[in-house]
Amino acid sequence: AQSVTQLDSHVSVSEGTPVLLRCNYSSSYSPSLFWYVQHPNKGLQLLLKYTSAATLVKGINGFEAEFKKSETSFHLTKPSAHMSDAAEYFCVVSRTGANNLFFGTGTRLTVIP
Amino acid sequence: GAGVSQSPSNKVTEKGKDVELRCDPISGHTALYWYRQSLGQGLEFLIYFQGNSAPDKSGLPSDRFSAERTGGSVSTLTIQRTQQEDSAVYLCASSPGITVYYEQYFGPGTRLTVT
């Protein structure tokens, strides 16, 4: 079975400061891990994905995440928050080679001017 | 190019009525997925289609839910005898191929409200 736990339902940062959104996963199999972003009234968009290649994954808009097997974590980071980063972020897991995704409960990121 | 489209964008229905939700995937995408996003359950997988293969229905919550994909393109999700707990945003996604190695592209969703 696969599942993810997003440790914070809401994160608030000031513009220009670092962003850290935390995610821990559980998987009986070799996992694939993803971060999706959902802006208000818009569809989900893939930020980045890990599929058993490099453990440090770089995504769009300056985001990156590191797969740490020993900690079963896949935290999302960005060095400097921008106002446009305000959105809902979902950590997602799937069994590598499988077809469906299992979503976390989401973290709402607020960026303060 | 055109993305995944869904219709209607909003649907309000009375308890007990049947509803149909439509998804138009990106042209050429062979895989199509339905998900449900609700306050109580978060975002959950419902059903998956790949080409002419039998769909993976493992996420459908009850036998009131069914889906079809005609001609390998457009898909319809049908909910019979709707209940208030069916109120949610129903999301459709498509991808160029099977497995999660391919990015899933999501539509804007259909917001269903059952009164």
Side-chain angles (χ1 to χ4, degrees), chain A residues 32 34 36 38 41-46 49 51-52 88 90 94-105, chain B residues 33 35 37 41-45 48 56 58-59 89 91 98-109 111:
Chain A
S32 290
F34 311 78
Y36 277 82
Q38 187 175 36
N41 300 316
K42 292 192 175 180
L44 285 157
Q45 181 183 21
L46 179 67
K49 65 179 178 182
T51 54
S52 75
E88 186 93 16
F90 293 92
S94 180
R95 189 180 73 186
T96 297
N99 303 314
N100 50 350
L101 304 175
F102 296 88
F103 285 76
T105 51
Chain B
Y33 307 78
Y35 295 86
Q37 187 173 23
Q41 301 296 325
L43 219 158
E44 50 184 342
F45 164 78
Y48 152 81
D56 177 352
S58 60
V89 177
L91 296 170
I98 62 171
T99 81
V100 294
Y101 290 111
Y102 294 92
E103 178 179 349
Q104 294 186 23
Y105 295 82
F106 283 80
R111 181 174 298 278

Side-chain angles (χ1 to χ4, degrees), chain B residues 36-52:
Chain B
R36 178 170 71 174
Q37 187 173 23
S38 57
L39 285 176
Q41 301 296 325
L43 219 158
E44 50 184 342
F45 164 78
L46 296 177
I47 188 170
Y48 152 81
F49 295 89
Q50 166 58 30
N52 295 321

Side-chain angles (χ1 to χ4, degrees), chain A residues 74-97:
Chain A
F74 191 59
H75 302 333
L76 182 71
T77 60
K78 183 173 180 177
S80 176
H82 192 273
M83 294 299 295
S84 61
D85 295 329
E88 186 93 16
Y89 292 80
F90 293 92
C91 183
V92 183
V93 67
S94 180
R95 189 180 73 186
T96 297

Side-chain angles (χ1 to χ4, degrees), chain B residues 10-21:
Chain B
N10 281 282
K11 176 72 176 179
V12 180
T13 189
E14 293 179 352
K15 178 181 174 181
K17 301 275 190 177
D18 298 351
V19 295
E20 286 188 351
L21 312 179

Side-chain angles (χ1 to χ4, degrees), chain A residues 9-69:
Chain A
S9 59
H10 186 206
V11 170
S12 184
V13 301
S14 297
E15 188 176 18
T17 65
V19 176
L20 170 63
L21 305 184
R22 298 182 295 165
C23 172
N24 286 104
Y25 71 91
S26 173
S27 178
S28 304
Y29 307 94
S30 177
S32 290
L33 291 155
F34 311 78
W35 278 96
Y36 277 82
V37 61
Q38 187 175 36
H39 287 93
N41 300 316
K42 292 192 175 180
L44 285 157
Q45 181 183 21
L46 179 67
L47 274 180
L48 49 81
K49 65 179 178 182
Y50 165 79
T51 54
S52 75
T55 57
L56 181 62
V57 182
K58 295 187 183 297
I60 61 172
N61 301 332
F63 285 95
E64 63 181 38
E66 186 171 8
F67 173 72
K68 292 186 176 181
K69 186 175 181 179

Side-chain angles (χ1 to χ4, degrees), chain B residues 34-109:
Chain B
W34 283 98
Y35 295 86
R36 178 170 71 174
Q37 187 173 23
S38 57
L39 285 176
Q41 301 296 325
L43 219 158
E44 50 184 342
F45 164 78
L46 296 177
I47 188 170
Y48 152 81
F49 295 89
Q50 166 58 30
N52 295 321
S53 302
D56 177 352
K57 304 180 183 180
S58 60
L60 293 179
S62 77
D63 58 8
R64 296 186 295 104
F65 287 73
S66 63
E68 290 185 341
R69 188 179 186 193
T70 54
S73 182
V74 172
S75 178
T76 302
L77 178 69
T78 301
I79 309 174
Q80 296 179 310
R81 305 181 302 280
T82 52
Q83 305 294 312
Q84 287 187 330
E85 61 263 29
D86 299 334
S87 295
V89 177
Y90 289 81
L91 296 170
C92 176
S94 70
S95 67
I98 62 171
T99 81
V100 294
Y101 290 111
Y102 294 92
E103 178 179 349
Q104 294 186 23
Y105 295 82
F106 283 80

